[in-house]
Amino acid sequence: SKVEAQGGVAYAAHPCAMTPLTQRLVLRRRSWERADFEERGLSGLQFWNGFKDLGFFRGKQRWIELLLAGRRIFALAGNDAHGDFNRSRRIRIPFLKIAETNHNCFGKVRACVLVRGKLSEKTVLGALRSGRSIITDGPFVVFQVHNNQGEKAEIGETLTGKSFTLHMEAKTIDEFGEFEKIEVFQGILSKREERKIRVFRRPCFHFTSIP
């Protein structure tokens, strides 16, 4: 793709969101088709856009389907703030109604990237290209997978072996509250399905703070 050729990273911006009727009619804006997700150079989907609406759940499901199909594709989140910061106002009906929302509060939903080396545009793009990132609206969970040969892989990396051990670290904030549970899912590529393999519940787990 042109983005990839110039050293950039391509993520689809909330591709499963519902397109308003006026934009479909006036701007001829269309929704993403299944074939669009097969575009070469597409690194991931930004399906979490400020709040969990229908576009979020449809996008999350599409992301899982792509993963189970063997596609190495990643997730991204953002707020679509466009300078609104704490709230946005827009005309809903000319001269009659103005809509106001705080769904796009700056920093409400964010992506955190694991940067290798010095912080720069290049290392951030490299992290996004490799999937070394998490998305969150408060809680923070990272993990490592260790195999029977003593090798390890972090988020965005792959690992082979006969047996594996999962190591998790987590942190939460006062606004979000304490963890009640963490669910771990495994994708079965041969069957194109996922299964829940473990549920950690309070007070049966211990979390280590991340600096």
Side-chain angles (χ1 to χ4, degrees):
S1 67
K2 292 183 179 180
V3 174
E4 187 180 28
Q6 296 177 51
V9 182
Y11 275 75
H14 34 94
C16 296
M18 300 297 293
T19 304
L21 179 60
T22 52
Q23 293 184 21
R24 294 178 67 89
L25 295 176
V26 178
L27 302 177
R28 301 182 64 82
R29 184 179 177 183
R30 295 292 181 261
S31 300
W32 277 57
E33 303 292 341
R34 283 190 171 267
D36 297 326
F37 292 95
E38 303 301 326
E39 283 289 330
R40 179 179 176 275
L42 182 64
S43 293
L45 312 180
Q46 188 248 328
F47 56 80
W48 195 357
N49 189 49
F51 60 105
K52 295 178 180 178
D53 58 356
L54 180 60
F56 167 85
F57 292 104
R58 291 175 60 188
K60 178 184 175 183
Q61 183 59 41
R62 185 70 187 119
W63 174 54
I64 293 173
E65 291 173 357
L66 290 168
L67 290 175
L68 294 176
R71 181 79 180 275
R72 195 166 182 267
I73 196 165
F74 311 110
L76 198 64
N79 285 98
D80 220 15
H82 295 292
D84 299 322
F85 293 100
N86 288 327
R87 57 170 48 86
S88 63
R89 297 185 180 94
R90 66 193 65 188
I91 296 175
R92 180 63 61 84
I93 303 176
F95 307 110
L96 294 176
K97 189 175 182 180
I98 295 179
E100 180 175 320
T101 177
N102 64 355
H103 290 310
N104 293 341
C105 288
F106 189 74
K108 182 177 181 181
V109 177
R110 69 201 72 176
C112 304
V113 298
L114 176 61
V115 172
R116 298 279 170 76
K118 186 178 179 180
L119 181 63
S120 66
E121 178 181 306
K122 182 178 181 180
T123 56
V124 170
L125 289 175
L128 292 173
R129 186 179 298 108
S130 302
R132 297 195 303 271
S133 63
I134 68 165
I135 56 179
T136 181
D137 60 355
F140 188 92
V141 179
V142 295
F143 60 86
Q144 293 180 346
V145 176
H146 296 240
N147 67 9
N148 56 298
Q149 298 175 340
E151 300 170 324
K152 70 176 183 179
E154 297 180 305
I155 293 175
E157 299 176 336
T158 58
L159 188 67
T160 60
K162 294 182 178 180
S163 61
F164 303 91
T165 304
L166 176 66
H167 297 261
M168 292 192 303
E169 294 181 294
K171 187 176 182 180
T172 185
I173 58 176
D174 292 338
E175 181 182 355
F176 185 82
E178 295 184 354
F179 287 98
E180 290 294 332
K181 66 178 179 178
I182 289 182
E183 299 178 342
V184 181
F185 291 84
Q186 179 185 35
I188 311 298
L189 300 187
S190 60
K191 297 182 179 180
R192 292 201 175 189
E193 64 181 30
E194 65 173 359
R195 64 181 180 184
K196 189 185 302 182
I197 60 174
R198 190 71 181 271
V199 178
F200 299 91
R201 298 182 183 274
R202 283 197 313 126
C204 298
F205 50 57
H206 172 73
F207 295 113
T208 303
S209 296
I210 301 173

